Amino acid sequence: MKNRISQVAAFADVSEVTVRRVLNGSPVVAPATRDRVLRALDVLGFDRPASGRTGRAPLIGIVVPDLQNPVFPAFAEALAGRLNKRGLVPVLCTRTADGVSEANYVEMLLSQNVGGIVFIGSSYADAGEAQGKALRDQNVPVVLINAADEMPGAVQVRADDARAVEQALTHLTALGHERIGLLIGPVGHVPSAYKLSGFASFWQVRDVPPEVWRPLVVPSLFSVAGGAGAVPGLLRAGATAVVCASDALALGVIRGARRTGLDVPKDLSVVGFDDSAFMGAVDPPLTTARQPVAAMAEAAVDALMMQVRGHVMADAPMYFETELIVRGSTAARPR
């Protein structure tokens, strides 16, 4: 026991007396200090005191819409590693071709008395009204990463989509581009709406009227095919560069441009979003906005653990700024 207390004290950077107080449920320990000690117990593999346990199973659901978008597996991997360090068991849940949906997974997770759920790129609205109500009624800890819907009151971690678009536009206008397209997801997709907001703000600050830039905004499905299919409309609108809401869309735009005989980036510059795996190895290497996956996953797990310990989290989303990674898919505006 003494060895365990000294290990926890060293890890949490507190005194052994403080660790004993937490283990004994003393009320004189500050909440932030108590959380540090409890987290140290989790990481080191020691049991929490009875007062610090929730009675839930140590299972954490990671719910993603699909595994086709490479950024979803990246988030799942980052979350799984951090959950394992806290002694929790991640359970990956994704739609399948035979009809298993988010609603089915949430129902199964609830039946296992799940300890919490992280939704990536979707929300518990996608899981169905009944399942969403059950999550709220049972006070299941939930965190949303880049939620597809407006979810007031939910704990959310988001990339700063508007700022990412502004960074891409700054880069492209510096290269001389004036007619820049924006290829986003379907109407109602909240991250796409934020990207559109950033696009509009960029041009408004420069006194460019809406009738100039609005025809360059094209909604699409998030797929390579969706990106390729949007190219003719973007070219008719006079685009010499395109900012895309995902790397898959960007790769589709490159494919569609080549089908029309255009060269990327000589004839058309393309910017993606996510910096998914291997985007530096495609032809041409893709200029893209890199999401800080590791930092966002860390924040999501921290927020989940705070809820597990009974803390009420603020409902204001936590925004993380992206980094524009400039590669070979962007160049000066063609003459």
Side-chain angles (χ1 to χ4, degrees), residues 1 18 30 45-46 52 85 101 104 123 188 196 207 228 234 243 257 282 314 318-319 329:
M1 172 65 77
T18 298
F46 299 134
K85 287 181 179 178
S101 66
N104 300 125
S123 68
L196 177 56
D207 295 323
L234 289 164
V243 178
V282 298
M318 292 175 274
Y319 286 98
S329 66

Side-chain angles (χ1 to χ4, degrees), residues 158-312:
R158 286 190 176 277
D160 192 338
D161 295 281
R163 177 65 181 143
V165 168
E166 291 171 358
Q167 288 175 335
L169 291 172
T170 299
H171 168 63
L172 292 169
T173 53
L175 293 171
H177 294 276
E178 298 173 351
R179 302 287 293 173
I180 302 171
L182 177 67
L183 185 56
I184 52 178
V187 175
H189 181 252
V190 169
S192 292
Y194 287 137
K195 289 181 174 72
L196 177 56
S197 174
F199 191 76
S201 295
F202 183 88
W203 296 120
Q204 287 167 1
V205 167
R206 288 156 181 79
D207 295 323
V208 178
E211 56 268 24
V212 173
W213 56 261
R214 280 196 186 281
L216 290 157
V217 178
V218 179
S220 173
L221 296 176
F222 280 104
S223 66
V224 173
V231 169
L234 289 164
L235 294 178
R236 283 194 299 271
T240 62
V242 185
V243 178
C244 302
S246 75
D247 289 339
L249 284 173
L251 294 179
V253 168
I254 293 172
R255 177 183 293 181
R258 286 175 173 165
R259 285 176 181 170
T260 65
L262 297 180
D263 178 84
V264 176
K266 186 173 72 172
D267 301 313
L268 183 70
S269 289
V270 181
V271 178
F273 184 87
D274 288 334
D275 195 27
S276 310
F278 310 119
M279 289 303 103
V282 298
D283 182 26
L286 187 66
T287 296
T288 184
R290 175 182 292 167
Q291 289 201 66
V293 171
M296 292 171 71
E298 186 73 33
V301 171
D302 284 346
L304 193 76
M305 296 305 299
M306 291 289 284
Q307 293 178 78
V308 167
R309 294 167 188 148
H311 293 279
V312 177

